Amino acid sequence: MSESHEHFMRRAIELAREGMNEGSGGPFGSVVVLDGKIIGEGNNRVTSTNDPTAHAEVVAIRNACKTIGSFDLTGAVVYASCEPCPMCLAAIYWSRAERIYIAGDRHDAARAGFDDAYIYDELSVKAEIRRVPTEQFLRDESVAVFDEWIAKADKVKY
């Protein structure tokens, strides 16, 4: 790894430690880099904001998007102090970042009490028998909105 990779990863780890010590949330940090510059930083803020989606990667992505004025992070690289959970991984994919570098992994997180294995497992279970069951109704009304979207001439595609 190059020195710049180490620099960005060390910053993600530093954010994890700072957030943890400040009482912001769990020991997770992340930076988003575009063209060799940090455009977004984040540490876990779940407990301090009462927001279960305020994971380090999501916070960093939100900040990066605000910095560049776009929801599209094509060409960006995400550095995370730990392997992203399923939600964060999905957010990274939705952002169109091109690469993810991690320091710790899901097993390190699980050892510290942050075990997402059950979520990974739930993804392969039929929706109606998951821990949080899913029931579908009013589908036709929802499909009508999708049809309107398809026909909408001035939509912003993403």
Side-chain angles (χ1 to χ4, degrees):
M1 284 284 139
S2 71
E3 285 184 37
S4 62
H5 284 303
E6 290 182 9
H7 168 76
F8 297 135
M9 186 61 78
R10 283 197 173 102
R11 179 61 183 149
I13 294 168
E14 179 182 352
L15 288 164
R17 182 173 285 115
E18 287 175 3
M20 175 187 68
N21 289 335
E22 291 169 2
S24 295
F28 303 95
S30 182
V31 298
V32 178
V33 175
L34 184 64
D35 298 327
K37 297 177 187 165
I38 295 175
I39 61 168
E41 294 186 337
N43 63 282
N44 183 287
R45 297 179 177 277
V46 169
T47 57
S48 61
T49 62
N50 295 318
D51 179 354
T53 69
H55 290 200
E57 297 88 342
V58 172
V59 172
I61 288 168
R62 289 174 180 163
N63 289 331
C65 290
K66 184 176 180 181
T67 296
I68 66 169
S70 175
F71 55 82
D72 187 342
L73 295 177
T74 296
V77 177
V78 175
Y79 291 82
S81 66
C82 187
E83 180 179 1
C85 74
M87 177 188 68
C88 292
L89 184 61
I92 293 166
Y93 274 79
W94 278 113
S95 77
R96 297 187 180 99
E98 75 175 32
R99 184 175 295 274
I100 307 166
Y101 290 103
I102 65 170
D105 63 26
R106 67 177 84 170
H107 308 290
D108 301 319
R111 188 178 64 78
F114 301 93
D115 191 357
D116 299 324
Y118 76 97
I119 299 174
Y120 286 103
D121 294 343
E122 285 282 287
L123 295 174
S124 63
V125 175
K126 292 175 92 172
E128 62 272 9
I129 59 172
R130 290 180 181 158
R131 288 184 183 193
V132 179
T134 302
E135 293 183 48
Q136 185 176 24
F137 66 100
L138 297 181
R139 180 170 179 257
D140 291 342
E141 292 180 30
S142 176
V143 169
V145 177
F146 283 120
D147 291 340
E148 291 172 33
W149 171 260
I150 291 166
K152 186 173 173 55
D154 63 343
K155 64 185 165 222
V156 176
K157 293 181 182 181
Y158 60 100

